[in-house]
């Protein structure tokens, strides 16, 4: 319960294991020794062929990466509010995640995404300030991201089936790579208050 409203979330570890299971034939083996200046043919537009990925491997929490023990699974988040009734009066905002280790062609399928939970529309009266609903949104988001934050601090162990059919236990490293959404969700995310007077309060 957040601000007296029910907020629903799913266990991140369960959703992550389910996504890894269903995407096992497509998971890219991301390692620190790749050459981002000369990526393998067909992988040029992929997110793991970026300077960001190399910088991530150089961070203290990832520079002890062991390809025989660990698996790098950069996380992508997506959020977009949607109506739940015919007149679009009651909205709900699903927070979903996928993995940059899934190639783009497969990642564009709905089967490559899992839910973290849902941000409901704040029930408020007209006297409440805009900042009140923004605070509610961020409190909900904090609750929904708890599982991911904990998994980043204490990397979970996953059962990973590789393309050769072999199943191994791997420690999952989960840096947050991208947060996607429309302008409204991104404005709310970064704390930009909507203003029609020409200035944007922050």
């Amino acid at each position: 319960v957040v601000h007296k409203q029910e907020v629903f979330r799913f266990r991140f570890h369960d959703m992550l294991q389910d996504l890894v299971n269903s995407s096992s034939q497509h998971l890219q083996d991301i390692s620190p020794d790749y050459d981002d200046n000369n990526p393998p043919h067909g992988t040029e537009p992929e997110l793991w062929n970026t300077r960001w990925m190399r910088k991530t491997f150089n961070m203290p929490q990832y520079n002890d990466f062991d390809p025989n023990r660990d698996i790098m699974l950069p996380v992508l988040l997506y959020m977009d509010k949607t109506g739940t009734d015919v007149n679009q009066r009651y909205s709900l905002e699903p927070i979903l995640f996928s993995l940059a280790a899934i190639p783009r062609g497969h990642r564009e399928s709905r089967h490559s995404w899992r839910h973290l939970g849902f941000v409901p529309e704040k029930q408020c009266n007209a006297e409440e300030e805009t900042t009140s609903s923004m605070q509610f949104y961020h409190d909900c988001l904090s609750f929904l991201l708890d599982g991911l934050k904990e998994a980043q601090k204490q990397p979970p162990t996953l059962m990973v089936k590789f393309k050769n059919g072999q199943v191994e236990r791997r420690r999952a490293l989960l840096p947050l790579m991208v947060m996607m959404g429309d302008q409204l969700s991104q404005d709310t995310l970064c704390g930009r208050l909507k203003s029609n007077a020409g200035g944007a309060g922050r």
Side-chain angles (χ1 to χ4, degrees), residues 8-162:
F8 294 90
R9 73 177 178 190
F10 300 94
R11 288 191 68 229
F12 176 72
H13 184 276
D14 293 345
M15 294 290 102
L16 178 63
Q17 182 66 72
D18 184 61
L19 179 56
V20 168
N21 289 347
S22 65
S23 306
S24 60
Q25 292 301 308
H26 309 298
L27 282 180
Q28 170 70 22
D29 182 21
I30 303 175
S31 63
D33 57 359
Y34 75 97
D35 181 5
D36 56 345
N37 292 316
N38 188 28
H41 178 67
T43 68
E44 294 86 355
E46 296 293 351
L47 289 170
W48 63 76
N49 292 326
T50 60
R51 192 174 301 153
W52 182 94
M53 196 73 252
R54 184 172 293 282
K55 286 182 178 179
T56 299
F57 275 116
N58 290 329
M59 295 174 69
Q61 62 266 48
Y62 304 119
N63 61 18
D64 64 343
F65 179 85
D66 180 352
N68 297 313
R69 179 176 59 103
D70 303 327
I71 184 169
M72 179 60 77
L73 299 174
V75 175
L76 314 175
L77 291 182
Y78 176 77
M79 52 196 70
D80 188 11
K81 186 182 292 187
T82 182
T84 59
D85 68 317
V86 174
N87 298 314
Q88 304 290 303
R89 289 174 298 182
Y90 305 104
S91 67
L92 198 63
E93 185 161 359
I95 310 298
L96 302 101
F97 77 95
S98 186
L99 304 171
I102 301 173
R104 179 179 174 181
H106 297 284
R107 200 171 60 242
E108 290 179 347
S109 164
R110 63 184 176 85
H111 300 292
S112 296
W113 293 83
R114 296 294 182 275
H115 287 84
L116 284 177
F118 303 90
V119 178
E121 186 167 18
K122 186 177 190 313
Q123 300 166 359
C124 59
N125 54 52
E127 289 78 30
E128 290 192 57
E129 296 181 5
T130 306
T131 51
S132 173
S133 61
M134 187 174 290
Q135 186 62 57
F136 171 74
Y137 182 89
H138 281 267
D139 289 344
C140 289
L141 205 56
S142 179
F143 171 68
L144 297 179
L145 292 174
D146 270 349
L148 172 59
K149 290 185 287 186
E150 186 58 35
Q152 289 176 326
K153 293 175 186 174
Q154 301 290 332
T157 299
L158 301 178
M159 300 302 295
V160 182
K161 183 177 181 180
F162 291 92

Side-chain angles (χ1 to χ4, degrees), residues 161-201:
K161 183 177 181 180
F162 291 92
K163 294 175 183 177
N164 60 7
Q166 193 169 346
V167 178
E168 297 180 15
R169 295 170 66 88
R170 292 294 176 90
R171 185 179 68 136
L173 303 181
L174 302 156
L176 178 59
M177 188 178 212
V178 176
M179 297 192 74
M180 298 183 291
D182 62 7
Q183 183 177 344
L184 178 61
S185 64
Q186 299 297 281
D187 281 351
T188 308
L189 191 64
C190 72
R192 178 182 184 273
L193 299 179
K194 294 179 287 297
S195 172
N196 294 323

